[in-house]
Amino acid sequence: MEVEETGETRTSWYAALGESHSITCDHAGDEEEDEEDEMMSCHMRDSEEPSNKRVKPVVKSNSLTGVLTPMKTPALKRIGQSISRSISFRTEARPLPPAPLRSRTKASSYPRRRNSQCWSDTVESHDLTAKEIKRQEVIYELTQGERQLIEDLSLVKKVYYEPMLKLDILTESELGQIFGTLDSLIPLHQDLLSRLERLRGSEKTVGQVGPTLMHWFPCLEAYVTYCCNQVGAKALLDQKKHEKRVEHFLRLCQESSFSRKLDLWNFLDLPRSRLVKYPLLLKEIQKCTPPEHPDEDALPDALDLIQTIVAEVNKKTGEAECQFYRRGLIYLEESQRLTEIQLSRFLYCHGELKNNKGQRLHVFLFEQALVLTKPGEDKEGGQVFHVYRQPLPNSSIYLEEIPDGEPGGGGTFRGAFTGGNDKVKNCFRVSSRGRSKAHPYSLQANDSFSKQQWITCLRRAIVQSRDRTSQPQPSLHHDPDVYHIAKLSLGSSSDTEMADQTSC
């Protein structure tokens, strides 16, 4: 199982709450630190290197990545990947800057990725059709993915959780918040692995897999608790990385062979990555299943079930994310506490933008309101967001896209967006209809891709908010669609046409 299951690692819908940083080791005379390093090294040597096997794609000459159609799972993707270069917290596996190592430590020569293996490598001969071979390859990848996930989660427990607890690097309470219910997921996946292995016949082929998955998929409802906890877990982990002992321990782990140059968060994000891959694998198995096969009826039911479970986990995760960031807002004036913010149940997107003074803001597009903030820290070092100016209800927003190359003069941009030139790039403007206290906000994204993501999300939020205010309120039991950038078409610019242009 690859830690990085998806290709889009530049855009999730969490803000960059913090990134790993490196502190150079002090080589001279710190006996206490030497003793601690020895203890850490003992724990690391005791850990087993995860299997160096990795499932090959369905066909040797064609990657499975190219075969599968990407599954759109908004809130879950926000947790572990990125969806806009400036709008997200980054979870990509990024090696730390090199630091001097003690003489007793050798640089890792282990590869970052596991070697590949496919089903056809495990059998000497067969008389299967090309379609059936492809089906066996996908089922084999499903099985091997479970095995590798179990190995990695067990590794995380052995070389991260247990040593950090024993060495008092973090308290038991802090470790509980960061690791969540990860420990309970190991037996869950061990169960599926044993079921799949029992399905393999004497010729190492699997006949019917649909009923087995149908009976096991309901266990994945345990992912609701784990994924909802990840929002706060990531924030706490990033906060603790600023402590020297925590940073030092995590860096030693990442430089060790067992980590494959991946950091702790990459491992903690493995379950989410695995969850969103089940529908993809199941679709591919269904595609390779011939008519009148025993799985023909069971696979569609299993696919419907897993998609329902993923959608529910996604919905709950989005709600937890929204609630987490709402709690982190610090209001400077009581008038900033809009009802629309408190009623919002999810986030369309959030991330860094610059205003017309060149100040970096963290902007939240909630379900019903747009909130500009300045990031800060509380007394414990946790991240908070001070609300900047007056939030705007989505239903009253007027959006103006500023074409690249427009002259940057006139006082609106004050040279902040032009970078020494007379032209602006990647800018847009939002203002409010009929609210004298709300000034227009001119904002700049990091690049054209991020700008388009913001424009698309804002248009959708505006349309849906106006539809909500013009129609009777839905039943409390009705769940609205949760839209996210991962689901949007960037080519669509006809969501809404704004009128009553406000002079800025």
Side-chain angles (χ1 to χ4, degrees):
M1 165 108 187
E2 288 277 79
V3 168
E4 195 56 52
E5 293 288 355
T6 56
E8 277 186 293
T9 59
R10 296 285 315 229
T11 49
S12 162
W13 289 104
Y14 283 113
L17 297 177
E19 299 183 12
S20 299
H21 59 288
S22 176
I23 300 178
T24 303
C25 298
D26 183 6
H27 296 271
D30 190 346
E31 294 182 2
E32 182 179 345
E33 187 174 317
D34 284 344
E35 181 179 347
E36 185 173 296
D37 286 350
E38 291 287 359
M39 295 179 69
M40 292 179 186
S41 299
C42 289
H43 285 289
M44 293 173 190
R45 286 196 296 270
D46 290 341
S47 64
E48 295 181 3
E49 167 70 12
S51 169
N52 217 26
K53 304 288 186 180
R54 183 178 185 272
V55 182
K56 264 188 183 176
V58 176
V59 181
K60 291 184 180 179
S61 59
N62 294 313
S63 170
L64 183 59
T65 307
V67 176
L68 302 180
T69 303
M71 175 70 177
K72 297 174 181 177
T73 52
L76 292 178
K77 283 194 175 184
R78 286 202 292 275
I79 300 288
Q81 346 169 63
S82 14
I83 298 174
S84 138
R85 294 182 182 86
S86 67
I87 314 174
S88 142
F89 71 73
R90 289 160 172 70
T91 61
E92 61 264 37
R94 179 184 303 158
L96 291 173
L101 300 179
R102 301 182 187 273
S103 59
R104 65 173 178 270
T105 306
K106 292 184 179 180
S108 171
S109 60
Y110 286 83
R112 173 169 168 173
R113 296 179 179 273
R114 290 182 169 111
N115 292 333
S116 298
Q117 185 187 37
C118 57
W119 172 81
S120 55
D121 293 333
T122 68
V123 295
E124 295 182 359
S125 62
H126 55 77
D127 56 356
L128 303 178
T129 65
K131 192 171 187 178
E132 181 58 31
I133 292 173
K134 192 174 181 181
R135 173 182 158 87
Q136 293 301 321
E137 298 284 10
V138 184
I139 295 174
Y140 186 76
E141 177 170 357
L142 172 65
T143 305
Q144 289 298 95
E146 293 302 304
R147 190 187 316 280
Q148 292 166 0
L149 178 64
I150 293 165
E151 290 173 355
D152 283 334
L153 296 186
S154 301
L155 178 76
V156 169
K157 179 182 177 182
K158 186 173 183 179
V159 304
Y160 284 100
Y161 183 94
E162 293 177 357
M164 293 177 86
L165 179 62
K166 186 174 182 179
L167 298 172
D168 291 324
I169 295 175
L170 290 174
T171 67
E172 187 172 2
S173 174
E174 290 169 338
L175 289 169
Q177 292 178 60
I178 291 172
F179 287 81
T181 57
L182 181 139
D183 196 32
S184 67
L185 301 182
I186 297 175
L188 187 153
H189 289 279
Q190 287 173 332
D191 179 41
L192 176 58
L193 178 60
S194 64
R195 294 188 190 204
L196 293 173
E197 288 180 331
R198 288 197 297 269
L199 295 178
R200 296 192 76 182
S202 58
E203 298 182 354
K204 298 185 178 180
T205 59
V206 175
Q208 196 174 7
V209 73
T212 297
L213 297 176
M214 274 290 294
H215 284 97
W216 182 80
F217 277 153
C219 299
L220 291 174
E221 292 179 358
Y223 270 66
V224 171
T225 303
Y226 183 78
C227 290
C228 288
N229 180 71
Q230 279 193 296
V231 191
K234 181 65 168 65
L236 179 59
L237 178 60
D238 287 336
Q239 176 186 336
K240 289 297 177 179
K241 283 179 181 179
H242 290 85
E243 298 179 9
K244 184 175 181 179
R245 293 185 72 221
V246 177
E247 185 276 335
H248 183 64
F249 176 84
L250 294 179
R251 178 161 52 80
L252 285 177
C253 289
Q254 189 170 357
E255 290 168 348
S256 299
S257 59
F258 61 78
S259 73
R260 306 192 302 280
K261 299 298 183 183
L262 302 171
D263 65 21
L264 174 57
W265 182 252
N266 295 130
F267 286 106
L268 294 177
D269 194 45
L270 279 170
R272 179 208 58 81
S273 299
R274 186 64 182 168
L275 177 64
V276 299
K277 193 170 183 180
Y278 286 124
L280 306 179
L281 291 169
L282 212 56
K283 285 180 180 179
E284 192 61 24
I285 295 174
Q286 186 178 15
K287 187 191 301 183
C288 302
T289 300
E292 300 183 4
H293 189 282
D295 258 349
E296 185 179 17
D297 295 329
L299 285 176
D301 293 337
L303 180 59
D304 289 342
L305 177 59
I306 186 58
Q307 288 178 330
T308 299
I309 293 171
V310 171
E312 178 65 15
V313 175
N314 176 67
K315 175 176 175 289
K316 296 296 184 182
T317 303
E319 292 172 354
E321 178 191 16
C322 178
Q323 193 174 46
F324 176 81
Y325 285 114
R326 275 208 324 254
R327 288 197 302 263
L329 296 178
I330 305 296
Y331 297 95
L332 304 181
E333 300 178 15
E334 194 61 30
S335 61
Q336 294 175 329
R337 295 179 180 272
L338 297 185
T339 303
E340 288 86 349
I341 299 175
Q342 305 307 316
L343 293 178
S344 294
R345 294 160 294 178
F346 61 88
L347 276 162
Y348 286 97
C349 61
H350 66 90
E352 185 182 279
L353 294 171
K354 288 170 61 177
N355 66 4
N356 61 341
K357 296 179 182 179
Q359 297 172 323
R360 295 186 181 276
L361 305 177
H362 197 96
V363 182
F364 295 91
L365 181 56
F366 288 99
E367 177 191 13
Q368 298 187 38
L370 178 70
V371 184
L372 281 64
T373 71
K374 291 183 176 181
E377 290 186 353
D378 58 21
K379 295 179 181 179
E380 289 75 33
Q383 189 164 35
V384 295
F385 300 90
H386 300 276
V387 177
Y388 175 77
R389 301 290 181 85
Q390 185 67 19
L392 304 179
N394 292 348
S395 59
S396 66
I397 288 178
Y398 168 66
L399 172 65
E400 178 186 2
E401 183 172 0
I402 301 173
D404 288 350
E406 180 175 297
T412 301
F413 300 99
R414 302 181 185 178
F417 293 165
T418 60
N421 300 319
D422 292 330
K423 307 294 183 180
V424 300
K425 292 183 66 176
N426 310 318
C427 298
F428 59 93
R429 185 181 293 117
V430 291
S431 55
S432 182
R433 302 167 182 269
R435 286 183 176 242
S436 58
K437 192 171 182 178
H439 300 286
Y441 305 128
S442 298
L443 302 168
Q444 182 184 42
N446 287 344
D447 50 44
S448 58
F449 177 79
S450 298
K451 173 188 174 180
Q452 186 59 63
Q453 301 288 351
W454 277 102
I455 294 293
T456 305
C457 270
L458 281 163
R459 283 178 176 152
R460 194 173 293 275
I462 292 167
V463 170
Q464 292 182 358
S465 291
R466 291 179 182 174
D467 288 346
R468 188 182 300 110
T469 56
S470 64
Q471 295 176 1
Q473 290 298 313
S475 167
L476 293 177
H477 300 289
H478 176 71
D479 294 329
D481 290 333
V482 178
Y483 289 90
H484 183 263
I485 275 181
K487 301 180 70 173
L488 303 183
S489 170
L490 298 184
S492 174
S493 59
S494 58
D495 289 327
T496 182
E497 286 294 329
M498 303 301 175
D500 299 325
Q501 180 168 343
T502 303
S503 173
C504 299

